[in-house]
PDB file of all heavy atoms in Angstrom:
ATOM      1  N   GLN A 493       6.443 -43.414  87.089  1.00 97.00           N
ATOM      2  CA  GLN A 493       7.004 -44.475  87.919  1.00 97.00           C
ATOM      3  C   GLN A 493       8.071 -43.917  88.853  1.00 97.00           C
ATOM      4  O   GLN A 493       9.272 -44.151  88.669  1.00 97.00           O
ATOM      5  CB  GLN A 493       7.602 -45.578  87.036  1.00 97.00           C
ATOM      6  CG  GLN A 493       6.603 -46.242  86.110  1.00 97.00           C
ATOM      7  CD  GLN A 493       7.254 -47.256  85.180  1.00 97.00           C
ATOM      8  OE1 GLN A 493       8.279 -47.859  85.509  1.00 97.00           O
ATOM      9  NE2 GLN A 493       6.676 -47.456  84.010  1.00 97.00           N
ATOM     10  N   PRO A 494       7.679 -43.121  89.865  1.00 97.00           N
ATOM     11  CA  PRO A 494       8.666 -42.604  90.822  1.00 97.00           C
ATOM     12  C   PRO A 494       9.433 -43.765  91.451  1.00 97.00           C
ATOM     13  O   PRO A 494       8.829 -44.740  91.917  1.00 97.00           O
ATOM     14  CB  PRO A 494       7.808 -41.869  91.851  1.00 97.00           C
ATOM     15  CG  PRO A 494       6.497 -41.624  91.167  1.00 97.00           C
ATOM     16  CD  PRO A 494       6.304 -42.749  90.220  1.00 97.00           C
ATOM     17  N   ARG A 495      10.750 -43.672  91.458  1.00 97.00           N
ATOM     18  CA  ARG A 495      11.590 -44.787  91.899  1.00 97.00           C
ATOM     19  C   ARG A 495      12.530 -44.321  92.996  1.00 97.00           C
ATOM     20  O   ARG A 495      13.369 -43.440  92.778  1.00 97.00           O
ATOM     21  CB  ARG A 495      12.381 -45.323  90.706  1.00 97.00           C
ATOM     22  CG  ARG A 495      13.231 -46.549  90.978  1.00 97.00           C
ATOM     23  CD  ARG A 495      13.795 -47.082  89.657  1.00 97.00           C
ATOM     24  NE  ARG A 495      14.672 -46.110  89.021  1.00 97.00           N
ATOM     25  CZ  ARG A 495      16.013 -46.144  89.101  1.00 97.00           C
ATOM     26  NH1 ARG A 495      16.611 -47.074  89.809  1.00 97.00           N
ATOM     27  NH2 ARG A 495      16.748 -45.234  88.482  1.00 97.00           N
ATOM     28  N   GLU A 496      12.378 -44.878  94.196  1.00 98.00           N
ATOM     29  CA  GLU A 496      13.259 -44.498  95.302  1.00 98.00           C
ATOM     30  C   GLU A 496      14.664 -45.003  95.041  1.00 98.00           C
ATOM     31  O   GLU A 496      14.875 -46.185  94.775  1.00 98.00           O
ATOM     32  CB  GLU A 496      12.741 -45.072  96.622  1.00 98.00           C
ATOM     33  CG  GLU A 496      13.580 -44.671  97.819  1.00 98.00           C
ATOM     34  CD  GLU A 496      13.066 -45.256  99.118  1.00 98.00           C
ATOM     35  OE1 GLU A 496      11.933 -44.902  99.519  1.00 98.00           O
ATOM     36  OE2 GLU A 496      13.795 -46.076  99.713  1.00 98.00           O
ATOM     37  N   ILE A 497      15.648 -44.082  95.140  1.00 98.00           N
ATOM     38  CA  ILE A 497      17.043 -44.472  94.901  1.00 98.00           C
ATOM     39  C   ILE A 497      17.920 -44.267  96.135  1.00 98.00           C
ATOM     40  O   ILE A 497      19.064 -44.749  96.158  1.00 98.00           O
ATOM     41  CB  ILE A 497      17.641 -43.703  93.713  1.00 98.00           C
ATOM     42  CG1 ILE A 497      17.636 -42.196  93.966  1.00 98.00           C
ATOM     43  CG2 ILE A 497      16.900 -44.046  92.420  1.00 98.00           C
ATOM     44  CD1 ILE A 497      18.432 -41.401  92.938  1.00 98.00           C
ATOM     45  N   ALA A 498      17.413 -43.565  97.141  1.00 98.00           N
ATOM     46  CA  ALA A 498      18.214 -43.331  98.348  1.00 98.00           C
ATOM     47  C   ALA A 498      17.299 -42.893  99.479  1.00 98.00           C
ATOM     48  O   ALA A 498      16.199 -42.378  99.248  1.00 98.00           O
ATOM     49  CB  ALA A 498      19.281 -42.268  98.098  1.00 98.00           C
ATOM     50  N   TYR A 499      17.774 -43.104 100.709  1.00 98.00           N
ATOM     51  CA  TYR A 499      17.036 -42.618 101.876  1.00 98.00           C
ATOM     52  C   TYR A 499      18.004 -42.358 103.014  1.00 98.00           C
ATOM     53  O   TYR A 499      19.138 -42.868 103.028  1.00 98.00           O
ATOM     54  CB  TYR A 499      15.950 -43.607 102.321  1.00 98.00           C
ATOM     55  CG  TYR A 499      16.468 -44.960 102.792  1.00 98.00           C
ATOM     56  CD1 TYR A 499      17.073 -45.134 104.044  1.00 98.00           C
ATOM     57  CD2 TYR A 499      16.335 -46.084 101.982  1.00 98.00           C
ATOM     58  CE1 TYR A 499      17.531 -46.359 104.467  1.00 98.00           C
ATOM     59  CE2 TYR A 499      16.803 -47.329 102.393  1.00 98.00           C
ATOM     60  CZ  TYR A 499      17.396 -47.458 103.643  1.00 98.00           C
ATOM     61  OH  TYR A 499      17.869 -48.680 104.066  1.00 98.00           O
ATOM     62  N   PHE A 500      17.553 -41.562 103.972  1.00 98.00           N
ATOM     63  CA  PHE A 500      18.269 -41.389 105.238  1.00 98.00           C
ATOM     64  C   PHE A 500      17.235 -41.299 106.345  1.00 98.00           C
ATOM     65  O   PHE A 500      16.385 -40.402 106.345  1.00 98.00           O
ATOM     66  CB  PHE A 500      19.146 -40.139 105.247  1.00 98.00           C
ATOM     67  CG  PHE A 500      20.034 -40.070 106.462  1.00 98.00           C
ATOM     68  CD1 PHE A 500      21.297 -40.639 106.438  1.00 98.00           C
ATOM     69  CD2 PHE A 500      19.592 -39.486 107.637  1.00 98.00           C
ATOM     70  CE1 PHE A 500      22.108 -40.624 107.575  1.00 98.00           C
ATOM     71  CE2 PHE A 500      20.392 -39.461 108.766  1.00 98.00           C
ATOM     72  CZ  PHE A 500      21.662 -40.036 108.738  1.00 98.00           C
ATOM     73  N   ASN A 501      17.289 -42.244 107.275  1.00 98.00           N
ATOM     74  CA  ASN A 501      16.334 -42.291 108.382  1.00 98.00           C
ATOM     75  C   ASN A 501      16.801 -41.388 109.522  1.00 98.00           C
ATOM     76  O   ASN A 501      17.813 -41.665 110.165  1.00 98.00           O
ATOM     77  CB  ASN A 501      16.173 -43.725 108.888  1.00 98.00           C
ATOM     78  CG  ASN A 501      15.238 -44.546 108.028  1.00 98.00           C
ATOM     79  OD1 ASN A 501      14.079 -44.184 107.853  1.00 98.00           O
ATOM     80  ND2 ASN A 501      15.740 -45.646 107.469  1.00 98.00           N
ATOM     81  N   THR A 502      16.064 -40.311 109.767  1.00 98.00           N
ATOM     82  CA  THR A 502      16.423 -39.387 110.842  1.00 98.00           C
ATOM     83  C   THR A 502      15.748 -39.746 112.160  1.00 98.00           C
ATOM     84  O   THR A 502      16.224 -39.362 113.227  1.00 98.00           O
ATOM     85  CB  THR A 502      15.997 -37.949 110.485  1.00 98.00           C
ATOM     86  OG1 THR A 502      14.570 -37.861 110.449  1.00 98.00           O
ATOM     87  CG2 THR A 502      16.563 -37.532 109.133  1.00 98.00           C
ATOM     88  N   TYR A 503      14.638 -40.457 112.097  1.00 97.00           N
ATOM     89  CA  TYR A 503      13.783 -40.662 113.268  1.00 97.00           C
ATOM     90  C   TYR A 503      14.364 -41.722 114.198  1.00 97.00           C
ATOM     91  O   TYR A 503      14.701 -42.826 113.774  1.00 97.00           O
ATOM     92  CB  TYR A 503      12.385 -41.084 112.816  1.00 97.00           C
ATOM     93  CG  TYR A 503      11.373 -41.156 113.931  1.00 97.00           C
ATOM     94  CD1 TYR A 503      10.619 -40.044 114.272  1.00 97.00           C
ATOM     95  CD2 TYR A 503      11.182 -42.330 114.642  1.00 97.00           C
ATOM     96  CE1 TYR A 503       9.684 -40.106 115.287  1.00 97.00           C
ATOM     97  CE2 TYR A 503      10.253 -42.406 115.668  1.00 97.00           C
ATOM     98  CZ  TYR A 503       9.503 -41.291 115.983  1.00 97.00           C
ATOM     99  OH  TYR A 503       8.583 -41.354 117.002  1.00 97.00           O
ATOM    100  N   ARG A 504      14.449 -41.367 115.500  1.00 96.00           N
ATOM    101  CA  ARG A 504      14.878 -42.311 116.524  1.00 96.00           C
ATOM    102  C   ARG A 504      14.001 -42.086 117.746  1.00 96.00           C
ATOM    103  O   ARG A 504      13.842 -40.952 118.205  1.00 96.00           O
ATOM    104  CB  ARG A 504      16.348 -42.095 116.883  1.00 96.00           C
ATOM    105  CG  ARG A 504      17.302 -42.257 115.705  1.00 96.00           C
ATOM    106  CD  ARG A 504      18.744 -41.953 116.057  1.00 96.00           C
ATOM    107  NE  ARG A 504      18.920 -40.603 116.582  1.00 96.00           N
ATOM    108  CZ  ARG A 504      20.060 -39.928 116.549  1.00 96.00           C
ATOM    109  NH1 ARG A 504      21.131 -40.471 115.984  1.00 96.00           N
ATOM    110  NH2 ARG A 504      20.139 -38.707 117.058  1.00 96.00           N
ATOM    111  N   GLU A 505      13.445 -43.149 118.291  1.00 94.00           N
ATOM    112  CA  GLU A 505      12.562 -43.025 119.452  1.00 94.00           C
ATOM    113  C   GLU A 505      13.264 -42.369 120.637  1.00 94.00           C
ATOM    114  O   GLU A 505      12.633 -41.658 121.432  1.00 94.00           O
ATOM    115  CB  GLU A 505      12.069 -44.406 119.896  1.00 94.00           C
ATOM    116  CG  GLU A 505      11.030 -45.027 119.004  1.00 94.00           C
ATOM    117  CD  GLU A 505      10.581 -46.378 119.545  1.00 94.00           C
ATOM    118  OE1 GLU A 505      11.344 -47.030 120.288  1.00 94.00           O
ATOM    119  OE2 GLU A 505       9.458 -46.780 119.216  1.00 94.00           O
ATOM    120  N   SER A 506      14.560 -42.602 120.755  1.00 92.00           N
ATOM    121  CA  SER A 506      15.298 -42.155 121.940  1.00 92.00           C
ATOM    122  C   SER A 506      15.725 -40.696 121.882  1.00 92.00           C
ATOM    123  O   SER A 506      16.278 -40.173 122.857  1.00 92.00           O
ATOM    124  CB  SER A 506      16.542 -43.028 122.128  1.00 92.00           C
ATOM    125  OG  SER A 506      17.392 -42.932 120.979  1.00 92.00           O
ATOM    126  N   ASP A 507      15.492 -39.998 120.768  1.00 93.00           N
ATOM    127  CA  ASP A 507      15.917 -38.606 120.677  1.00 93.00           C
ATOM    128  C   ASP A 507      15.198 -37.747 121.706  1.00 93.00           C
ATOM    129  O   ASP A 507      13.967 -37.824 121.837  1.00 93.00           O
ATOM    130  CB  ASP A 507      15.610 -38.051 119.284  1.00 93.00           C
ATOM    131  CG  ASP A 507      16.493 -38.648 118.210  1.00 93.00           C
ATOM    132  OD1 ASP A 507      17.703 -38.804 118.475  1.00 93.00           O
ATOM    133  OD2 ASP A 507      15.988 -38.956 117.120  1.00 93.00           O
ATOM    134  N   PRO A 508      15.912 -36.905 122.454  1.00 91.00           N
ATOM    135  CA  PRO A 508      15.250 -35.975 123.379  1.00 91.00           C
ATOM    136  C   PRO A 508      14.271 -35.090 122.618  1.00 91.00           C
ATOM    137  O   PRO A 508      14.569 -34.592 121.527  1.00 91.00           O
ATOM    138  CB  PRO A 508      16.420 -35.153 123.936  1.00 91.00           C
ATOM    139  CG  PRO A 508      17.616 -36.026 123.770  1.00 91.00           C
ATOM    140  CD  PRO A 508      17.388 -36.796 122.503  1.00 91.00           C
ATOM    141  N   GLY A 509      13.080 -34.935 123.164  1.00 89.00           N
ATOM    142  CA  GLY A 509      12.071 -34.116 122.520  1.00 89.00           C
ATOM    143  C   GLY A 509      11.195 -34.862 121.537  1.00 89.00           C
ATOM    144  O   GLY A 509      10.274 -34.284 120.958  1.00 89.00           O
ATOM    145  N   ARG A 510      11.455 -36.155 121.332  1.00 92.00           N
ATOM    146  CA  ARG A 510      10.633 -36.931 120.408  1.00 92.00           C
ATOM    147  C   ARG A 510       9.247 -37.120 121.016  1.00 92.00           C
ATOM    148  O   ARG A 510       9.112 -37.365 122.228  1.00 92.00           O
ATOM    149  CB  ARG A 510      11.290 -38.275 120.135  1.00 92.00           C
ATOM    150  CG  ARG A 510      10.763 -38.982 118.903  1.00 92.00           C
ATOM    151  CD  ARG A 510      10.991 -38.185 117.642  1.00 92.00           C
ATOM    152  NE  ARG A 510      12.339 -38.312 117.095  1.00 92.00           N
ATOM    153  CZ  ARG A 510      12.792 -37.559 116.114  1.00 92.00           C
ATOM    154  NH1 ARG A 510      12.020 -36.611 115.592  1.00 92.00           N
ATOM    155  NH2 ARG A 510      14.018 -37.716 115.646  1.00 92.00           N
ATOM    156  N   THR A 511       8.211 -37.016 120.194  1.00 93.00           N
ATOM    157  CA  THR A 511       6.835 -37.059 120.690  1.00 93.00           C
ATOM    158  C   THR A 511       6.057 -38.198 120.036  1.00 93.00           C
ATOM    159  O   THR A 511       6.562 -38.908 119.162  1.00 93.00           O
ATOM    160  CB  THR A 511       6.101 -35.740 120.393  1.00 93.00           C
ATOM    161  OG1 THR A 511       5.817 -35.660 118.990  1.00 93.00           O
ATOM    162  CG2 THR A 511       6.938 -34.539 120.806  1.00 93.00           C
ATOM    163  N   ASP A 512       4.788 -38.320 120.451  1.00 94.00           N
ATOM    164  CA  ASP A 512       3.894 -39.311 119.846  1.00 94.00           C
ATOM    165  C   ASP A 512       3.128 -38.737 118.662  1.00 94.00           C
ATOM    166  O   ASP A 512       2.236 -39.379 118.104  1.00 94.00           O
ATOM    167  CB  ASP A 512       2.912 -39.849 120.881  1.00 94.00           C
ATOM    168  CG  ASP A 512       2.003 -38.768 121.462  1.00 94.00           C
ATOM    169  OD1 ASP A 512       2.084 -37.606 121.016  1.00 94.00           O
ATOM    170  OD2 ASP A 512       1.202 -39.084 122.359  1.00 94.00           O
ATOM    171  N   ASP A 513       3.460 -37.517 118.254  1.00 93.00           N
ATOM    172  CA  ASP A 513       2.717 -36.837 117.201  1.00 93.00           C
ATOM    173  C   ASP A 513       2.944 -37.507 115.850  1.00 93.00           C
ATOM    174  O   ASP A 513       4.060 -37.894 115.516  1.00 93.00           O
ATOM    175  CB  ASP A 513       3.161 -35.373 117.131  1.00 93.00           C
ATOM    176  CG  ASP A 513       2.156 -34.482 116.413  1.00 93.00           C
ATOM    177  OD1 ASP A 513       1.503 -34.967 115.473  1.00 93.00           O
ATOM    178  OD2 ASP A 513       2.050 -33.305 116.783  1.00 93.00           O
TER     179      ASP A 513
END
Side-chain angles (χ1 to χ4, degrees):
Q493 300 176 28
R495 184 172 63 99
E496 182 181 296
I497 61 170
Y499 63 76
F500 188 90
N501 280 302
T502 67
Y503 187 90
R504 301 176 302 204
E505 286 181 335
S506 60
D507 290 319
R510 197 61 81 190
T511 72
D512 62 4
D513 199 327

